[in-house]
């Protein structure tokens, strides 16, 4: 089982999808831990939405609630099911 730290920040990540012509960029969120100049990605959920604002709102909620990275996959699944 992965040991994911609780003190992380959530950021929006984008993926370019060459198979979708109408919404080529899909957004997700990543749990990151600051380590020097570059953040270390603890976990990520890709391809959640084509709406940047929705992904940003989800990342902001995770930060506000201080969500442990170990719960990211459950939150991502709930988010997709609610779309």
């Amino acid at each position: 089982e992965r040991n994911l730290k609780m003190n992380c920040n959530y950021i929006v990540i984008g993926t370019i999808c060459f198979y979708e012509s109408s919404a080529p960029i899909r957004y997700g969120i990543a749990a990151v831990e600051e380590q020097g100049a570059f953040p270390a990605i603890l976990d990520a959920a890709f391809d959640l939405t084509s709406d940047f604002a929705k992904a940003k709102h989800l990342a902001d909620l995770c930060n506000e609630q201080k969500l442990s990275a170990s719960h990211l996959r459950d939150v991502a699944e709930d988010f997709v099911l609610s779309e």
Side-chain angles (χ1 to χ4, degrees), residues 6-28:
M6 293 180 73
N7 58 344
C8 61
N9 291 312
Y10 289 86
I11 60 171
V12 175
I13 53 176
T15 305
I16 298 174
C17 300
F18 293 104
Y19 60 87
E20 288 189 34
S21 59
S22 61
I25 300 178
R26 300 285 298 170
Y27 299 100

Short mmCIF file of all heavy atoms in Angstrom, two decimals, residues 6-28:
data_model
loop_
_atom_site.label_atom_id
_atom_site.label_comp_id
_atom_site.label_asym_id
_atom_site.label_seq_id
_atom_site.Cartn_x
_atom_site.Cartn_y
_atom_site.Cartn_z
N MET A 6 -0.06 13.49 3.99
CA MET A 6 -1.28 14.28 4.10
C MET A 6 -1.05 15.74 3.73
O MET A 6 -1.95 16.41 3.29
CB MET A 6 -1.86 14.18 5.50
CG MET A 6 -2.36 12.79 5.83
SD MET A 6 -3.03 12.67 7.48
CE MET A 6 -4.55 13.57 7.29
N ASN A 7 0.17 16.26 3.92
CA ASN A 7 0.41 17.67 3.65
C ASN A 7 0.86 17.85 2.19
O ASN A 7 2.02 17.88 1.88
CB ASN A 7 1.44 18.25 4.61
CG ASN A 7 2.76 17.52 4.57
OD1 ASN A 7 2.85 16.41 4.07
ND2 ASN A 7 3.80 18.13 5.10
N CYS A 8 -0.13 17.94 1.34
CA CYS A 8 0.14 18.11 -0.08
C CYS A 8 -0.76 19.22 -0.61
O CYS A 8 -1.68 19.66 0.05
CB CYS A 8 -0.08 16.82 -0.85
SG CYS A 8 -1.76 16.19 -0.76
N ASN A 9 -0.46 19.66 -1.81
CA ASN A 9 -1.28 20.65 -2.49
C ASN A 9 -1.81 20.01 -3.76
O ASN A 9 -1.19 19.12 -4.33
CB ASN A 9 -0.45 21.89 -2.85
CG ASN A 9 -0.05 22.67 -1.64
OD1 ASN A 9 -0.87 22.94 -0.78
ND2 ASN A 9 1.21 23.03 -1.55
N TYR A 10 -2.96 20.50 -4.21
CA TYR A 10 -3.57 19.99 -5.42
C TYR A 10 -3.48 21.04 -6.52
O TYR A 10 -3.71 22.22 -6.27
CB TYR A 10 -5.03 19.61 -5.16
CG TYR A 10 -5.12 18.37 -4.31
CD1 TYR A 10 -5.07 18.45 -2.93
CD2 TYR A 10 -5.17 17.12 -4.90
CE1 TYR A 10 -5.09 17.30 -2.15
CE2 TYR A 10 -5.21 15.97 -4.13
CZ TYR A 10 -5.16 16.07 -2.76
OH TYR A 10 -5.18 14.94 -2.00
N ILE A 11 -3.11 20.58 -7.70
CA ILE A 11 -2.99 21.46 -8.86
C ILE A 11 -3.78 20.85 -10.01
O ILE A 11 -4.07 19.66 -10.02
CB ILE A 11 -1.52 21.66 -9.28
CG1 ILE A 11 -0.87 20.31 -9.66
CG2 ILE A 11 -0.73 22.36 -8.18
CD1 ILE A 11 0.49 20.44 -10.29
N VAL A 12 -4.12 21.69 -10.98
CA VAL A 12 -4.79 21.23 -12.19
C VAL A 12 -3.74 20.76 -13.17
O VAL A 12 -2.69 21.39 -13.34
CB VAL A 12 -5.64 22.36 -12.82
CG1 VAL A 12 -6.25 21.91 -14.14
CG2 VAL A 12 -6.72 22.81 -11.86
N ILE A 13 -4.00 19.63 -13.82
CA ILE A 13 -3.12 19.13 -14.86
C ILE A 13 -3.92 18.99 -16.14
O ILE A 13 -5.12 18.72 -16.11
CB ILE A 13 -2.47 17.78 -14.47
CG1 ILE A 13 -3.53 16.76 -14.04
CG2 ILE A 13 -1.45 17.98 -13.36
CD1 ILE A 13 -2.98 15.39 -13.72
N GLY A 14 -3.29 19.22 -17.26
CA GLY A 14 -3.96 19.12 -18.55
C GLY A 14 -3.32 18.06 -19.42
O GLY A 14 -2.11 17.86 -19.37
N THR A 15 -4.14 17.39 -20.19
CA THR A 15 -3.68 16.37 -21.12
C THR A 15 -4.27 16.69 -22.49
O THR A 15 -5.47 16.93 -22.61
CB THR A 15 -4.18 14.97 -20.69
OG1 THR A 15 -3.77 14.72 -19.35
CG2 THR A 15 -3.62 13.89 -21.60
N ILE A 16 -3.42 16.70 -23.50
CA ILE A 16 -3.90 16.92 -24.86
C ILE A 16 -4.37 15.60 -25.42
O ILE A 16 -3.62 14.62 -25.44
CB ILE A 16 -2.79 17.53 -25.74
CG1 ILE A 16 -2.38 18.89 -25.19
CG2 ILE A 16 -3.25 17.64 -27.19
CD1 ILE A 16 -1.20 19.50 -25.89
N CYS A 17 -5.62 15.58 -25.87
CA CYS A 17 -6.22 14.36 -26.42
C CYS A 17 -6.34 14.51 -27.92
O CYS A 17 -7.19 15.27 -28.40
CB CYS A 17 -7.59 14.12 -25.79
SG CYS A 17 -7.52 13.91 -24.01
N PHE A 18 -5.54 13.80 -28.66
CA PHE A 18 -5.54 13.92 -30.11
C PHE A 18 -6.75 13.23 -30.75
O PHE A 18 -7.05 13.45 -31.90
CB PHE A 18 -4.25 13.35 -30.69
CG PHE A 18 -3.06 14.15 -30.32
CD1 PHE A 18 -2.18 13.71 -29.36
CD2 PHE A 18 -2.82 15.38 -30.91
CE1 PHE A 18 -1.08 14.47 -29.00
CE2 PHE A 18 -1.72 16.14 -30.57
CZ PHE A 18 -0.85 15.69 -29.60
N TYR A 19 -7.46 12.42 -29.99
CA TYR A 19 -8.61 11.71 -30.53
C TYR A 19 -9.90 12.50 -30.40
O TYR A 19 -10.92 12.09 -30.91
CB TYR A 19 -8.76 10.34 -29.87
CG TYR A 19 -8.95 10.40 -28.37
CD1 TYR A 19 -10.22 10.55 -27.82
CD2 TYR A 19 -7.87 10.31 -27.50
CE1 TYR A 19 -10.41 10.61 -26.45
CE2 TYR A 19 -8.05 10.37 -26.14
CZ TYR A 19 -9.31 10.52 -25.62
OH TYR A 19 -9.47 10.59 -24.26
N GLU A 20 -9.88 13.63 -29.70
CA GLU A 20 -11.09 14.45 -29.53
C GLU A 20 -10.90 15.78 -30.24
O GLU A 20 -10.04 16.55 -29.87
CB GLU A 20 -11.36 14.71 -28.05
CG GLU A 20 -11.85 13.51 -27.29
CD GLU A 20 -12.33 13.85 -25.90
OE1 GLU A 20 -12.88 14.95 -25.72
OE2 GLU A 20 -12.16 13.02 -25.02
N SER A 21 -11.71 16.04 -31.25
CA SER A 21 -11.56 17.28 -32.00
C SER A 21 -12.28 18.45 -31.34
O SER A 21 -11.86 19.59 -31.45
CB SER A 21 -12.06 17.11 -33.42
OG SER A 21 -13.42 16.72 -33.40
N SER A 22 -13.35 18.20 -30.61
CA SER A 22 -14.13 19.29 -30.03
C SER A 22 -13.55 19.81 -28.71
O SER A 22 -13.66 20.98 -28.42
CB SER A 22 -15.58 18.86 -29.81
OG SER A 22 -15.62 17.78 -28.91
N ALA A 23 -12.95 18.95 -27.93
CA ALA A 23 -12.37 19.36 -26.64
C ALA A 23 -11.01 18.67 -26.50
O ALA A 23 -10.90 17.66 -25.81
CB ALA A 23 -13.30 18.99 -25.50
N PRO A 24 -9.99 19.20 -27.17
CA PRO A 24 -8.71 18.49 -27.21
C PRO A 24 -7.95 18.46 -25.89
O PRO A 24 -7.08 17.62 -25.73
CB PRO A 24 -7.93 19.25 -28.28
CG PRO A 24 -8.52 20.61 -28.29
CD PRO A 24 -9.96 20.43 -27.94
N ILE A 25 -8.26 19.34 -24.97
CA ILE A 25 -7.56 19.33 -23.68
C ILE A 25 -8.51 18.81 -22.61
O ILE A 25 -9.62 19.30 -22.45
CB ILE A 25 -7.02 20.71 -23.30
CG1 ILE A 25 -6.04 21.20 -24.36
CG2 ILE A 25 -6.36 20.66 -21.93
CD1 ILE A 25 -5.49 22.57 -24.10
N ARG A 26 -8.07 17.80 -21.89
CA ARG A 26 -8.82 17.24 -20.77
C ARG A 26 -8.05 17.58 -19.50
O ARG A 26 -6.82 17.56 -19.49
CB ARG A 26 -8.96 15.73 -20.92
CG ARG A 26 -9.68 15.26 -22.17
CD ARG A 26 -11.15 15.45 -22.11
NE ARG A 26 -11.72 14.64 -21.02
CZ ARG A 26 -12.96 14.73 -20.60
NH1 ARG A 26 -13.79 15.58 -21.15
NH2 ARG A 26 -13.39 13.98 -19.62
N TYR A 27 -8.76 17.86 -18.43
CA TYR A 27 -8.14 18.28 -17.18
C TYR A 27 -8.37 17.27 -16.08
O TYR A 27 -9.38 16.59 -16.02
CB TYR A 27 -8.69 19.65 -16.76
CG TYR A 27 -8.41 20.72 -17.77
CD1 TYR A 27 -9.38 21.11 -18.68
CD2 TYR A 27 -7.15 21.30 -17.85
CE1 TYR A 27 -9.13 22.08 -19.62
CE2 TYR A 27 -6.89 22.28 -18.79
CZ TYR A 27 -7.87 22.67 -19.67
OH TYR A 27 -7.61 23.62 -20.62
N GLY A 28 -7.42 17.22 -15.20
CA GLY A 28 -7.49 16.40 -14.00
C GLY A 28 -6.81 17.16 -12.88
O GLY A 28 -6.53 18.36 -13.01
#
